[in-house]
Structure formats: structure tokens, C-alpha cells
Amino acid sequence: MGNFPEIFAASVLGLIFGSFLNVVIHRLPKAILKDADASLNCLLWPGSTAPCCGEKLYWYENIPVISWLVLGGNCGHCKKPITPRYILVELLTGVAFAWSIWVYGLGITGSVYALFFAMAITLFFIDLETFLLPDRLTLAMLWLGLSAAAMGYLPISPVDAILGACLGYLLPWAINAVYYAVRKHDGFGGGDFKLLAAFGAWLGWAEIVPILCGASIIGLIVIGLVSIVKRERLLMSQALPFGPFLILSGLSFVIGGA
Ligand SMILES: [Zn+2]
């Protein structure tokens, strides 16, 4: 358990880190689509630019949450509205960092969980916006979980983490193979297998089926709500990535199991 100053410091660090995650969400998919083996230098250089018009940002336009609020959600240069995703990612990362330190204390376990949440938040928004789940992120999440379990920083044993990763990959792969045989097109993307494998490494094999069921239920509810709002029937296979549902379901097990 972290104390109040530690939790407060973690939340501020999370807001700042969230600002960097927004850059990753904006630039990583573009870099991958251009070149699958693209160097990640693009995430650090050039410095922060406006997503709309590419203008360089002044330091005061780059303060997490505050800049977005002060500018009224609009770009300071071209005045176009900036997606609320920017402030949302910063706030979520701030809360995730604070939660990690609150629950696991200031130490390696708390930091490892903060990093895990940062990757999950980034994957959530990248998949939502581009239908991509970059290997660099899903595999980083997988290896971080396996290493943390091997070194005893997770509540599950290393064997459980390895079995979780294997089952997390194989179960959706097998479901997809059956689906493909019947429907002649994929039900899941390969990124979904790696994402569920990563959650398996963090939560163990026993949570794989519950996560998959949870994701399907969340997916059906969201599709139902979207259909009502849009007043048209939305099919399971169209227009929605599965990754965000997997992430929502997986995170609820991480938070619920803490
Ligand atoms: Zn602009």
C-alpha cells in the first residue's frame, strides 16, 4: 500500500506519461503501416506536434489535461477540435499509475503494474482508432508479464503465467480456425491471439475462458447499444475491433483480482 504523497506523485507521473502515450497512439500505427520494421525513433522525434496541422507545440500547449481544458479542446494553431481522447488517455494513465502504487506500493510490483496499464491503455485506443494491435506492444506486454511472474513480482507462479500465455494464444486461434472453416473468413485477428496471450501471462491460465466470455458479453452489449443509437442493425463481424473488449474484460479481472 502506497501512502498519500506517493500515490499523488504517481498520478502526476501518470498524467505526464499519458501525454507520451498519446504520441505513441498517434504515431506508432502510422509508422507500422509505412514500414513494419520501422524504427521507434519517430515516437521521440520530432518533438510534440499538433495532430491536426502538424504545427510544433509550445511548452504551455503540452501540459497534460490543463492545456486541453485551457484551449477548450481546440488546437491552438488551426483551431480545429482535438479529440477528447487526448485528455482521456492522460486521465486514465494518471488513475492507473495512482491505483498501481496504492494497491502494490511504491516498488517494483507497483511500477510493473503501472507499465502494464500504460500498454493496455495504448493498445485499447490504437485498436479502436486503427484496428491494429501492434506486436511491439502486445509482445512487450506478454514478456513483461512472463518476466515479472518468473521473478516473483506477480501473484501467480511462473508456470501458471506460461500456461496462461499458451492457452491465451491457442484458444482464440482454435476458435478462429473453426470459424474460418465454416464462414471462410477470420473471426479474430492475429493481434487478438497475442493480446489474450499477454493477459494470460499476467493472470494465469484459469482466467482465459472468463476473459474471453467477458469480452464477448461486453462486445454484445456495445453492439446492442450502438445499434439502438444508430437505429440500424450492426453485425458482429463489421466495424468493431475485438481488442478493446478483450482489454476491458482483462483489466476488470486484473483490478477485481487485486
Ligand atoms: Zn492544428
Side-chain angles (χ1 to χ4, degrees), residues 43-117:
L43 300 181
L44 300 172
W45 189 91
S48 297
T49 48
C52 37
C53 53
E55 285 290 330
K56 218 172 148 8
L57 295 183
Y58 297 110
W59 65 269
Y60 58 81
E61 291 173 305
N62 213 3
I63 306 167
V65 181
I66 295 169
S67 294
W68 195 89
L69 291 176
V70 169
L71 292 166
N74 294 317
C75 173
H77 298 272
C78 70
K79 309 287 177 229
K80 275 194 196 130
I82 293 177
T83 160
R85 186 254 288 159
Y86 278 82
I87 189 170
L88 197 60
V89 167
E90 287 161 358
L91 289 173
L92 284 172
T93 313
V95 170
F97 276 36
W99 184 88
S100 302
I101 300 306
W102 175 48
V103 173
Y104 297 106
L106 189 64
I108 294 180
T109 305
S111 312
V112 157
Y113 271 96
L115 211 52
F116 163 77
F117 278 107

Coordinates of all heavy atoms in Angstrom, one line a residue, residues 43-117:
L43 N 8.8 8.0 -32.3 CA 8.0 8.3 -31.1 C 8.6 9.4 -30.3 O 7.9 10.0 -29.5 CB 7.9 7.0 -30.2 CG 7.2 5.8 -30.9 CD1 7.2 4.6 -29.9 CD2 5.8 6.1 -31.4
L44 N 9.9 9.6 -30.4 CA 10.6 10.6 -29.6 C 10.9 11.9 -30.4 O 11.0 13.0 -29.9 CB 11.9 10.0 -29.1 CG 11.7 8.8 -28.2 CD1 13.0 8.2 -27.8 CD2 10.9 9.2 -26.9
W45 N 11.0 11.7 -31.7 CA 11.4 12.8 -32.6 C 10.6 12.9 -33.8 O 10.3 11.8 -34.4 CB 12.9 12.7 -32.9 CG 13.5 13.9 -33.6 CD1 14.1 15.0 -33.0 CD2 13.4 14.2 -35.0 NE1 14.4 15.9 -34.0 CE2 14.0 15.4 -35.2 CE3 13.0 13.5 -36.1 CZ2 14.2 16.0 -36.4 CZ3 13.1 14.1 -37.4 CH2 13.7 15.3 -37.5
P46 N 10.1 14.0 -34.3 CA 10.3 15.3 -33.8 C 9.5 15.5 -32.5 O 8.7 14.7 -32.2 CB 9.8 16.2 -34.9 CG 8.8 15.4 -35.6 CD 9.3 14.0 -35.6
G47 N 9.7 16.6 -31.8 CA 9.0 16.9 -30.5 C 7.5 17.0 -30.8 O 7.1 16.8 -31.9
S48 N 6.8 17.3 -29.8 CA 5.3 17.3 -29.9 C 4.8 18.2 -30.9 O 5.2 19.4 -31.0 CB 4.7 17.7 -28.5 OG 5.0 16.7 -27.6
T49 N 3.9 17.7 -31.8 CA 3.3 18.5 -32.8 C 1.8 18.3 -32.7 O 1.3 17.3 -32.2 CB 3.7 18.1 -34.2 OG1 3.6 16.6 -34.3 CG2 5.2 18.5 -34.5
A50 N 1.0 19.3 -33.2 CA -0.4 19.2 -33.2 C -0.8 18.0 -34.1 O -0.3 17.9 -35.2 CB -1.1 20.5 -33.6
P51 N -1.8 17.1 -33.7 CA -2.2 16.0 -34.6 C -2.9 16.5 -35.8 O -2.9 15.8 -36.8 CB -3.1 15.2 -33.7 CG -3.5 16.1 -32.6 CD -2.4 17.1 -32.4
C52 N -3.5 17.7 -35.7 CA -4.3 18.2 -36.8 C -3.5 18.8 -37.9 O -3.7 18.5 -39.1 CB -5.4 19.2 -36.3 SG -4.7 20.2 -35.0
C53 N -2.6 19.8 -37.5 CA -2.0 20.6 -38.6 C -0.5 20.4 -38.5 O 0.2 21.0 -39.3 CB -2.3 22.1 -38.4 SG -2.0 22.6 -36.7
G54 N 0.1 19.6 -37.6 CA 1.5 19.3 -37.6 C 2.3 20.5 -37.1 O 3.6 20.4 -37.1
E55 N 1.7 21.6 -36.6 CA 2.4 22.7 -36.0 C 3.2 22.2 -34.7 O 2.6 21.5 -34.0 CB 1.5 23.9 -35.7 CG 1.0 24.6 -36.9 CD 2.1 25.4 -37.6 OE1 3.0 25.9 -36.9 OE2 2.0 25.6 -38.8
K56 N 4.3 22.8 -34.5 CA 5.1 22.5 -33.3 C 4.3 23.1 -32.1 O 3.8 24.2 -32.2 CB 6.5 23.1 -33.4 CG 7.5 22.2 -32.8 CD 8.9 22.8 -33.1 CE 9.9 22.5 -32.0 NZ 9.5 21.6 -30.9
L57 N 4.3 22.3 -31.0 CA 3.6 22.8 -29.8 C 4.5 23.6 -28.9 O 5.6 23.2 -28.7 CB 2.9 21.6 -29.1 CG 1.8 20.9 -29.8 CD1 1.3 19.8 -28.9 CD2 0.7 21.8 -30.2
Y58 N 4.0 24.7 -28.3 CA 4.8 25.4 -27.3 C 4.6 24.6 -26.0 O 3.7 23.8 -25.9 CB 4.2 26.8 -27.1 CG 4.4 27.7 -28.3 CD1 3.2 28.1 -29.0 CD2 5.6 28.1 -28.7 CE1 3.4 28.9 -30.1 CE2 5.8 28.9 -29.8 CZ 4.6 29.3 -30.5 OH 4.8 30.1 -31.6
W59 N 5.6 24.8 -25.1 CA 5.5 24.0 -23.8 C 4.2 24.1 -23.1 O 3.7 23.2 -22.6 CB 6.7 24.4 -22.9 CG 6.6 25.8 -22.4 CD1 7.1 26.9 -23.0 CD2 5.9 26.3 -21.2 NE1 6.8 28.0 -22.2 CE2 6.1 27.7 -21.2 CE3 5.2 25.6 -20.2 CZ2 5.5 28.4 -20.1 CZ3 4.6 26.4 -19.2 CH2 4.8 27.8 -19.2
Y60 N 3.6 25.3 -23.2 CA 2.4 25.5 -22.4 C 1.2 24.9 -23.1 O 0.1 24.8 -22.6 CB 2.1 27.0 -22.2 CG 2.1 27.9 -23.4 CD1 0.9 28.0 -24.2 CD2 3.2 28.6 -23.8 CE1 0.9 28.7 -25.3 CE2 3.1 29.4 -24.9 CZ 2.0 29.5 -25.7 OH 1.9 30.2 -26.8
E61 N 1.4 24.4 -24.4 CA 0.3 23.7 -25.1 C 0.4 22.2 -24.8 O -0.4 21.4 -25.4 CB 0.4 24.0 -26.6 CG 0.0 25.4 -27.0 CD 0.3 25.6 -28.4 OE1 1.4 25.4 -28.9 OE2 -0.6 26.0 -29.1
N62 N 1.4 21.8 -24.1 CA 1.7 20.4 -23.9 C 1.7 20.0 -22.5 O 2.2 19.0 -22.1 CB 3.2 20.2 -24.5 CG 3.3 18.9 -25.1 OD1 2.4 18.1 -25.2 ND2 4.6 18.6 -25.5
I63 N 0.9 20.7 -21.6 CA 0.8 20.3 -20.2 C -0.4 19.4 -20.2 O -1.5 19.7 -20.6 CB 0.5 21.5 -19.3 CG1 1.6 22.6 -19.5 CG2 0.4 21.1 -17.9 CD1 1.3 23.9 -18.9
P64 N -0.2 18.2 -19.6 CA -1.3 17.2 -19.6 C -2.6 17.8 -19.0 O -2.5 18.6 -18.1 CB -0.8 16.1 -18.7 CG 0.7 16.2 -18.7 CD 1.0 17.6 -19.0
V65 N -3.7 17.4 -19.6 CA -5.1 17.8 -19.1 C -5.3 19.3 -19.2 O -6.2 19.8 -19.8 CB -5.4 17.3 -17.7 CG1 -6.8 17.7 -17.3 CG2 -5.2 15.8 -17.7
I66 N -4.4 20.1 -18.5 CA -4.7 21.5 -18.4 C -4.7 22.2 -19.8 O -5.6 23.0 -20.0 CB -3.6 22.2 -17.5 CG1 -3.7 21.6 -16.1 CG2 -3.7 23.7 -17.5 CD1 -2.6 21.9 -15.1
S67 N -3.7 21.9 -20.6 CA -3.7 22.6 -21.9 C -5.0 22.3 -22.7 O -5.5 23.2 -23.3 CB -2.5 22.0 -22.8 OG -1.3 22.4 -22.1
W68 N -5.4 21.1 -22.7 CA -6.6 20.7 -23.4 C -7.8 21.5 -22.9 O -8.6 22.0 -23.7 CB -6.9 19.2 -23.3 CG -7.8 18.7 -24.3 CD1 -7.6 18.2 -25.5 CD2 -9.3 18.6 -24.1 NE1 -8.7 17.8 -26.2 CE2 -9.8 18.0 -25.3 CE3 -10.2 18.9 -23.1 CZ2 -11.1 17.7 -25.5 CZ3 -11.5 18.6 -23.3 CH2 -12.0 18.1 -24.5
L69 N -7.9 21.6 -21.6 CA -9.0 22.4 -21.0 C -8.9 23.9 -21.3 O -9.9 24.5 -21.7 CB -9.0 22.2 -19.5 CG -9.4 20.7 -19.0 CD1 -9.3 20.7 -17.5 CD2 -10.8 20.4 -19.5
V70 N -7.7 24.4 -21.1 CA -7.5 25.9 -21.4 C -7.8 26.2 -22.8 O -8.4 27.2 -23.1 CB -6.0 26.3 -21.0 CG1 -5.7 27.7 -21.5 CG2 -5.8 26.2 -19.5
L71 N -7.4 25.3 -23.7 CA -7.6 25.6 -25.2 C -9.0 25.2 -25.6 O -9.4 25.3 -26.8 CB -6.6 24.9 -26.0 CG -5.1 25.3 -25.9 CD1 -4.2 24.3 -26.5 CD2 -5.0 26.7 -26.5
G72 N -9.8 24.8 -24.6 CA -11.2 24.5 -24.9 C -11.4 23.3 -25.9 O -12.3 23.2 -26.6
G73 N -10.4 22.4 -25.8 CA -10.4 21.2 -26.7 C -10.1 21.5 -28.2 O -10.4 20.7 -29.0
N74 N -9.6 22.7 -28.4 CA -9.3 23.1 -29.8 C -7.8 23.2 -30.0 O -7.1 23.5 -29.0 CB -10.0 24.4 -30.2 CG -11.5 24.2 -30.3 OD1 -12.0 23.2 -30.7 ND2 -12.2 25.2 -29.7
C75 N -7.3 23.1 -31.2 CA -5.9 23.3 -31.5 C -5.6 24.8 -31.4 O -6.3 25.6 -31.8 CB -5.6 22.8 -32.9 SG -3.9 23.2 -33.5
G76 N -4.4 25.1 -30.7 CA -4.0 26.5 -30.5 C -3.6 27.2 -31.8 O -3.5 28.4 -31.9
H77 N -3.3 26.4 -32.9 CA -2.8 26.9 -34.1 C -4.0 27.0 -35.2 O -4.3 28.1 -35.6 CB -1.7 26.1 -34.7 CG -0.5 26.0 -33.7 ND1 0.5 27.0 -33.8 CD2 -0.2 25.2 -32.7 CE1 1.4 26.7 -32.8 NE2 1.0 25.6 -32.2
C78 N -4.6 25.9 -35.5 CA -5.6 25.9 -36.6 C -7.0 25.9 -36.0 O -7.9 26.0 -36.8 CB -5.4 24.7 -37.5 SG -5.8 23.1 -36.7
K79 N -7.1 25.9 -34.7 CA -8.5 26.0 -34.0 C -9.4 24.8 -34.3 O -10.6 24.8 -33.9 CB -9.2 27.3 -34.4 CG -8.4 28.5 -34.3 CD -8.2 28.9 -32.8 CE -7.3 30.1 -32.7 NZ -6.3 30.0 -31.7
K80 N -8.9 23.8 -35.0 CA -9.7 22.6 -35.2 C -9.9 21.9 -33.8 O -9.0 21.9 -33.0 CB -9.0 21.6 -36.1 CG -9.3 21.9 -37.6 CD -8.9 20.7 -38.5 CE -8.7 21.1 -39.9 NZ -7.5 20.7 -40.5
P81 N -11.1 21.2 -33.6 CA -11.3 20.5 -32.4 C -10.3 19.3 -32.3 O -10.0 18.6 -33.2 CB -12.7 20.0 -32.4 CG -13.1 20.1 -33.8 CD -12.2 21.1 -34.5
I82 N -9.7 19.1 -31.1 CA -8.8 18.0 -30.8 C -9.6 16.9 -30.1 O -10.3 17.2 -29.1 CB -7.6 18.4 -30.0 CG1 -6.7 19.4 -30.8 CG2 -6.8 17.2 -29.5 CD1 -5.6 20.0 -30.1
T83 N -9.5 15.7 -30.5 CA -10.3 14.6 -29.9 C -10.1 14.5 -28.4 O -9.0 14.7 -27.9 CB -9.9 13.2 -30.6 OG1 -10.3 12.2 -29.7 CG2 -8.4 13.1 -30.8
P84 N -11.2 14.3 -27.7 CA -11.1 14.2 -26.2 C -10.3 13.0 -25.8 O -10.0 12.8 -24.6 CB -12.6 14.1 -25.8 CG -13.4 13.8 -27.0 CD -12.6 14.3 -28.2
R85 N -9.9 12.1 -26.8 CA -9.0 11.0 -26.5 C -7.7 11.5 -25.7 O -7.2 10.8 -24.8 CB -8.7 10.2 -27.7 CG -7.9 9.0 -27.5 CD -6.4 9.1 -27.8 NE -6.2 9.1 -29.3 CZ -5.1 9.7 -29.8 NH1 -4.2 10.2 -29.1 NH2 -5.0 9.6 -31.2
Y86 N -7.3 12.7 -26.1 CA -6.0 13.2 -25.5 C -6.2 13.4 -24.0 O -5.3 12.9 -23.2 CB -5.6 14.5 -26.2 CG -4.9 14.3 -27.5 CD1 -5.5 14.0 -28.6 CD2 -3.5 14.2 -27.5 CE1 -4.9 13.7 -29.8 CE2 -2.8 13.9 -28.6 CZ -3.5 13.6 -29.8 OH -2.8 13.3 -30.9
I87 N -7.2 14.0 -23.6 CA -7.4 14.2 -22.1 C -7.8 12.9 -21.5 O -7.4 12.6 -20.3 CB -8.4 15.3 -21.9 CG1 -8.5 15.7 -20.4 CG2 -9.8 15.0 -22.4 CD1 -9.3 17.0 -20.1
L88 N -8.5 12.1 -22.2 CA -9.0 10.8 -21.6 C -7.8 9.9 -21.3 O -7.7 9.3 -20.2 CB -9.9 10.1 -22.6 CG -10.8 9.0 -22.1 CD1 -11.7 9.5 -21.0 CD2 -11.7 8.4 -23.3
V89 N -6.9 9.8 -22.3 CA -5.7 8.9 -22.1 C -4.8 9.4 -20.9 O -4.3 8.6 -20.1 CB -4.9 8.8 -23.4 CG1 -3.5 8.2 -23.1 CG2 -5.6 8.0 -24.4
E90 N -4.7 10.7 -20.8 CA -3.9 11.3 -19.7 C -4.5 11.0 -18.4 O -3.9 10.5 -17.5 CB -3.7 12.8 -19.9 CG -2.8 13.1 -21.1 CD -2.9 14.5 -21.6 OE1 -3.8 15.3 -21.2 OE2 -2.1 14.9 -22.6
L91 N -5.8 11.2 -18.3 CA -6.5 10.9 -17.0 C -6.5 9.5 -16.7 O -6.2 9.1 -15.5 CB -8.0 11.4 -17.1 CG -8.2 13.0 -17.1 CD1 -9.6 13.3 -17.4 CD2 -7.7 13.6 -15.8
L92 N -6.8 8.6 -17.7 CA -6.8 7.2 -17.4 C -5.4 6.7 -16.9 O -5.3 5.9 -16.0 CB -7.1 6.4 -18.7 CG -8.6 6.4 -19.0 CD1 -8.8 5.7 -20.4 CD2 -9.4 5.6 -18.0
T93 N -4.3 7.2 -17.6 CA -3.0 6.8 -17.2 C -2.7 7.3 -15.8 O -2.0 6.6 -14.9 CB -1.9 7.3 -18.2 OG1 -2.4 7.0 -19.5 CG2 -0.6 6.6 -18.0
G94 N -3.1 8.5 -15.5 CA -2.9 9.1 -14.1 C -3.6 8.2 -13.1 O -3.0 7.9 -12.0
V95 N -4.8 7.8 -13.4 CA -5.6 7.0 -12.4 C -4.9 5.6 -12.3 O -4.8 5.0 -11.2 CB -7.0 6.8 -12.9 CG1 -7.8 5.8 -12.1 CG2 -7.8 8.2 -12.8
A96 N -4.5 5.1 -13.4 CA -3.8 3.7 -13.4 C -2.6 3.7 -12.6 O -2.3 2.8 -11.8 CB -3.6 3.3 -14.9
F97 N -1.7 4.7 -12.8 CA -0.5 4.8 -12.0 C -0.8 4.9 -10.5 O -0.2 4.3 -9.7 CB 0.4 6.0 -12.5 CG 1.2 5.7 -13.7 CD1 0.8 4.9 -14.7 CD2 2.5 6.2 -13.8 CE1 1.6 4.6 -15.8 CE2 3.3 6.0 -14.9 CZ 2.8 5.1 -15.9
A98 N -1.8 5.8 -10.2 CA -2.1 6.0 -8.8 C -2.6 4.7 -8.2 O -2.3 4.3 -7.1 CB -3.2 7.1 -8.7
W99 N -3.5 4.0 -9.0 CA -4.1 2.7 -8.5 C -2.9 1.7 -8.2 O -2.9 1.0 -7.2 CB -5.1 2.2 -9.5 CG -5.8 1.0 -9.1 CD1 -6.9 0.9 -8.3 CD2 -5.4 -0.4 -9.3 NE1 -7.2 -0.4 -8.1 CE2 -6.3 -1.2 -8.7 CE3 -4.3 -1.0 -10.0 CZ2 -6.2 -2.6 -8.7 CZ3 -4.2 -2.4 -10.0 CH2 -5.2 -3.2 -9.4
S100 N -2.0 1.6 -9.2 CA -0.9 0.6 -9.1 C -0.1 0.8 -7.8 O 0.2 -0.1 -7.1 CB 0.0 0.7 -10.3 OG -0.7 0.5 -11.5
I101 N 0.2 2.1 -7.5 CA 1.0 2.4 -6.3 C 0.2 2.3 -5.1 O 0.7 1.8 -4.0 CB 1.7 3.8 -6.4 CG1 2.5 3.9 -7.7 CG2 2.5 4.2 -5.2 CD1 3.6 2.8 -7.8
W102 N -1.1 2.6 -5.1 CA -2.0 2.5 -4.0 C -2.1 1.0 -3.6 O -2.0 0.7 -2.4 CB -3.3 3.1 -4.3 CG -4.4 2.9 -3.3 CD1 -4.2 3.2 -1.9 CD2 -5.7 2.4 -3.4 NE1 -5.4 2.9 -1.3 CE2 -6.3 2.4 -2.2 CE3 -6.5 2.0 -4.5 CZ2 -7.7 2.0 -2.0 CZ3 -7.8 1.6 -4.3 CH2 -8.4 1.6 -3.1
V103 N -2.3 0.2 -4.6 CA -2.5 -1.3 -4.3 C -1.2 -2.0 -4.0 O -1.1 -2.8 -3.0 CB -3.3 -1.9 -5.4 CG1 -3.4 -3.4 -5.2 CG2 -4.7 -1.3 -5.6
Y104 N -0.2 -1.8 -4.8 CA 1.0 -2.6 -4.7 C 2.2 -1.8 -4.0 O 3.3 -2.4 -3.8 CB 1.5 -3.1 -6.1 CG 0.4 -4.0 -6.7 CD1 -0.4 -3.5 -7.7 CD2 0.3 -5.3 -6.2 CE1 -1.3 -4.4 -8.3 CE2 -0.7 -6.1 -6.8 CZ -1.5 -5.7 -7.8 OH -2.4 -6.5 -8.3
G105 N 2.0 -0.6 -3.7 CA 3.1 0.2 -3.0 C 4.1 0.7 -4.0 O 4.2 0.2 -5.2
L106 N 4.9 1.6 -3.5 CA 6.0 2.2 -4.4 C 7.1 1.1 -4.4 O 7.8 0.9 -3.4 CB 6.5 3.5 -3.8 CG 7.5 4.3 -4.7 CD1 6.8 4.7 -5.9 CD2 8.0 5.5 -3.9
G107 N 7.3 0.4 -5.5 CA 8.3 -0.6 -5.6 C 8.2 -1.2 -7.0 O 7.5 -0.7 -7.9
I108 N 8.9 -2.3 -7.2 CA 8.9 -3.0 -8.5 C 7.5 -3.4 -8.9 O 7.1 -3.2 -10.0 CB 10.0 -4.1 -8.5 CG1 11.4 -3.5 -8.3 CG2 9.9 -4.8 -9.9 CD1 12.5 -4.5 -8.4
T109 N 6.8 -4.1 -8.0 CA 5.5 -4.6 -8.4 C 4.5 -3.5 -8.8 O 3.9 -3.6 -9.9 CB 4.8 -5.4 -7.2 OG1 5.7 -6.4 -6.8 CG2 3.5 -6.0 -7.7
G110 N 4.5 -2.4 -8.1 CA 3.7 -1.3 -8.4 C 4.1 -0.7 -9.8 O 3.2 -0.3 -10.6
S111 N 5.4 -0.6 -10.0 CA 5.8 0.0 -11.3 C 5.5 -0.9 -12.5 O 5.1 -0.4 -13.5 CB 7.4 0.3 -11.2 OG 7.7 0.9 -10.0
V112 N 5.7 -2.2 -12.2 CA 5.4 -3.1 -13.3 C 3.9 -3.1 -13.7 O 3.6 -3.1 -14.9 CB 5.8 -4.5 -12.8 CG1 5.1 -5.6 -13.6 CG2 7.4 -4.7 -13.0
Y113 N 3.1 -3.0 -12.7 CA 1.6 -2.9 -13.0 C 1.3 -1.6 -13.7 O 0.5 -1.5 -14.6 CB 0.8 -3.1 -11.7 CG 0.4 -4.5 -11.5 CD1 1.2 -5.3 -10.6 CD2 -0.6 -5.1 -12.1 CE1 0.9 -6.6 -10.4 CE2 -0.9 -6.4 -11.9 CZ -0.2 -7.2 -11.1 OH -0.5 -8.5 -10.9
A114 N 2.0 -0.5 -13.3 CA 1.7 0.8 -13.9 C 2.1 0.7 -15.4 O 1.3 1.2 -16.3 CB 2.5 1.9 -13.2
L115 N 3.2 0.1 -15.7 CA 3.6 -0.1 -17.1 C 2.6 -1.0 -17.9 O 2.3 -0.7 -19.0 CB 5.0 -0.7 -17.1 CG 6.0 -0.4 -18.2 CD1 6.1 1.1 -18.4 CD2 7.3 -1.0 -17.9
F116 N 2.1 -2.0 -17.2 CA 1.2 -2.9 -17.8 C -0.1 -2.1 -18.2 O -0.6 -2.2 -19.3 CB 0.8 -4.0 -16.8 CG -0.5 -4.8 -17.1 CD1 -0.5 -5.7 -18.1 CD2 -1.6 -4.5 -16.4 CE1 -1.7 -6.4 -18.3 CE2 -2.8 -5.2 -16.6 CZ -2.8 -6.1 -17.6
F117 N -0.6 -1.3 -17.3 CA -1.8 -0.5 -17.6 C -1.5 0.5 -18.8 O -2.4 0.7 -19.6 CB -2.2 0.3 -16.4 CG -3.1 -0.5 -15.4 CD1 -2.6 -0.9 -14.2 CD2 -4.4 -0.8 -15.8 CE1 -3.3 -1.7 -13.3 CE2 -5.2 -1.6 -14.9 CZ -4.6 -2.0 -13.7

